[in-house]
């Protein structure tokens, strides 16, 4: 009996501590929702998008999608598309799992959209550093209990949970969330360095885990389900690449094409070879202002007709 009493007391103690911890985290959650920053000021999503707003279009992606809102480019994007846009793309290689987290919170806050446009990089399907081991996609985001619980549900590593808990202590959000390299999209790539491109290709190959392609594929299904549950459509767009033999591209192309063919409300466009001129880039991966404008007018405006 004494052993049973000990176990019962231990369980009660554990439940009580869990309740107290949950209550504390709930109190810390959302303390900075009254802060409103612009895309020109901040890399944060939570401090920019707010609650209960309608955005006809929402972008997902990595830093290659985020450049659409840096350096004051967001105003140009909305002007070209003729509508309000939310850009949930994250620098630091925010992959499928991070985008699922951000889109889930965005919609949970009562925000709505007609069309999600996922600007895809092939590497997000192959590497944990872009997914559960990504240490960048919440570095400039305030603590929200919803996000913390989703990280647990999606089995993020303990160190990712710990680093996000540290956001509770941050107060100077305008400073911590600002973009640290302003002006890059004003530049133009001077020459396409073949040696540098080959080094980059080898770099990606070393980080790739072919088994991960299957492992992360289910996140696409999760995102599609989330989008359609909220009455929207989604289009996956492979971003233009200066590297025609980018590792993993054929597999990703086949996967997304098959997904779009199978599912209603899901569309796909492969733009990998669409923009091969260096005048559209400021480095070997990211659009400059000229590239952003051309990409939007030539490809994204046509994507919107798929709705």
């Amino acid at each position: 009996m004494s052993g049973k009493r000990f176990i019962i007391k231990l369980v009660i103690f554990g439940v009580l501590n869990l309740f107290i911890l949950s209550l504390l985290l709930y109190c810390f959650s959302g303390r900075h929702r009254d802060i409103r920053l612009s895309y020109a000021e901040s890399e944060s999503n939570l401090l920019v998008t707010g609650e209960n707003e309608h955005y006809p279009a929402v972008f997902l992606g990595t830093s290659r999608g985020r450049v659409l809102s840096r350096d004051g480019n967001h105003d140009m994007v909305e002007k070209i598309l003729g509508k309000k846009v939310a850009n949930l793309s994250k620098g630091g290689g925010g992959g499928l799992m991070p985008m699922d987290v951000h889109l889930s919170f965005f919609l949970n806050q009562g925000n709505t959209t007609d069309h999600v446009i996922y600007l895809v990089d092939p590497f997000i399907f192959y590497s944990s550093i872009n997914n559960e081991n990504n240490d960048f996609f919440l570095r400039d985001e305030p603590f929200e209990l919803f996000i913390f619980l989703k990280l647990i549900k999606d089995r993020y590593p303990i160190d990712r949970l710990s680093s996000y808990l540290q956001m509770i202590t941050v107060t100077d959000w305008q400073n911590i969330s600002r973009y640290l390299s302003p002006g890059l999209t004003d530049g133009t790539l001077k020459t396409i360095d073949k040696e540098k491109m080959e080094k980059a290709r080898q770099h990606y190959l070393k980080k790739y885990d072919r088994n991960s392609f299957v492992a992360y594929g289910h996140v696409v299904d999760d995102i599609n389900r989330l989008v359609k549950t909220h009455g929207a459509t989604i289009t996956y767009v492979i971003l233009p690449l200066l590297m025609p033999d980018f590792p993993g591209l054929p597999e990703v192309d086949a996967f997304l094409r098959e997904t779009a063919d199978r599912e209603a409300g899901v569309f796909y466009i492969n733009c990998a070879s669409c923009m091969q001129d260096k005048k559209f880039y400021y480095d070997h991966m990211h659009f400059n202002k000229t590239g952003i404008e051309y990409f939007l007018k030539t490809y994204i405006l046509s994507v919107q007709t798929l709705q």
Side-chain angles (χ1 to χ4, degrees):
M1 290 295 292
S2 61
K4 288 184 178 180
R5 283 199 297 269
F6 174 76
I7 293 174
I8 291 172
K9 288 180 180 179
L10 191 63
V11 170
I12 293 174
F13 179 76
V15 171
L16 182 61
N17 277 275
L18 183 60
F19 173 76
I20 293 173
L21 176 61
S22 299
L23 185 62
L24 284 172
L25 293 180
Y26 177 79
C27 292
F28 284 122
S29 179
R31 290 188 303 157
H32 304 286
R33 288 181 192 167
D34 58 332
I35 299 176
R36 281 294 161 268
L37 301 176
S38 68
Y39 283 103
E41 296 175 293
S42 177
E43 290 282 286
S44 171
N45 286 334
L46 276 61
L47 299 174
V48 172
T49 52
E51 305 173 87
N52 302 313
E53 296 185 41
H54 180 69
Y55 295 84
V58 172
F59 286 121
L60 304 179
T62 64
S63 61
R64 298 220 295 147
R66 193 69 188 186
V67 295
L68 272 64
S69 295
R70 290 172 176 165
D71 294 331
N73 294 326
H74 195 83
D75 290 341
M76 177 180 71
V77 169
E78 293 189 328
K79 184 176 180 180
I80 291 172
L81 298 183
K83 59 183 63 177
K84 189 176 181 181
V85 175
N87 190 350
L88 303 183
S89 303
K90 295 297 290 188
L96 289 160
M97 291 178 67
M99 285 300 95
D100 183 32
V101 170
H102 277 283
L103 182 61
S104 295
F105 180 77
F106 172 83
L107 295 171
N108 184 69
Q109 291 303 101
N111 296 304
T112 57
T113 185
D114 302 318
H115 197 176
V116 175
I117 301 173
Y118 200 138
L119 305 174
V120 177
D121 289 292
F123 53 76
I124 63 175
F125 282 86
Y126 291 96
S127 177
S128 67
I129 200 67
N130 301 112
N131 290 285
E132 74 274 16
N133 286 316
N134 187 291
D135 195 30
F136 292 93
F137 78 104
L138 291 173
R139 280 188 178 183
D140 43 29
E141 305 290 0
F143 179 79
E144 289 282 354
L145 184 58
F146 175 93
I147 291 179
F148 185 70
L149 294 176
K150 182 159 178 60
L151 296 180
I152 295 174
K153 175 179 175 292
D154 292 348
R155 299 181 180 180
Y156 277 76
I158 292 295
D159 55 349
R160 298 289 83 78
L161 300 177
S162 176
S163 64
Y164 186 49
L165 282 173
Q166 294 174 33
M167 296 298 98
I168 290 174
T169 64
V170 176
T171 56
D172 186 5
W173 284 106
Q174 186 157 11
N175 181 54
I176 199 172
S177 70
R178 77 185 192 281
Y179 179 50
L180 299 179
S181 303
L184 286 178
T185 59
D186 293 323
T188 302
L189 179 64
K190 293 181 179 180
T191 183
I192 298 177
D193 189 326
K194 299 296 184 181
E195 183 178 345
K196 183 178 290 187
M197 295 284 278
E198 178 57 25
K199 286 182 179 179
R201 193 176 74 86
Q202 294 300 325
H203 168 78
Y204 285 116
L205 284 172
K206 287 179 182 178
K207 289 185 174 295
Y208 277 14
D209 179 356
R210 290 286 168 178
N211 294 325
S212 294
F213 182 74
V214 177
Y216 296 127
H218 76 89
V219 186
V220 170
D221 295 329
D222 293 340
I223 291 174
N224 292 345
R225 191 179 305 112
L226 178 65
V227 168
K228 289 190 281 187
T229 298
H230 286 80
T233 59
I234 183 167
T235 300
Y236 292 86
V237 182
I238 296 283
L239 283 166
L241 295 160
L242 287 175
M243 190 187 302
D245 57 343
F246 201 98
L249 177 59
E251 293 85 352
V252 173
D253 173 67
F255 175 76
L256 292 177
R257 194 175 301 279
E258 188 275 332
T259 301
D261 289 342
R262 183 184 71 247
E263 292 194 41
V266 178
F267 305 96
Y268 170 62
I269 295 178
N270 186 342
C271 285
S273 301
C274 293
M275 296 166 60
Q276 298 294 300
D277 196 318
K278 60 183 176 60
K279 72 179 182 181
F280 295 128
Y281 303 85
Y282 71 78
D283 61 14
H284 288 83
M285 289 290 288
H286 300 85
F287 290 140
N288 56 20
K289 287 185 184 295
T290 300
I292 293 170
E293 183 176 4
Y294 182 85
F295 177 65
L296 292 173
K297 289 181 176 179
T298 308
Y299 302 106
I300 298 304
L301 275 176
S302 64
V303 163
Q304 295 182 88
T305 64
L306 295 175
Q307 296 183 60

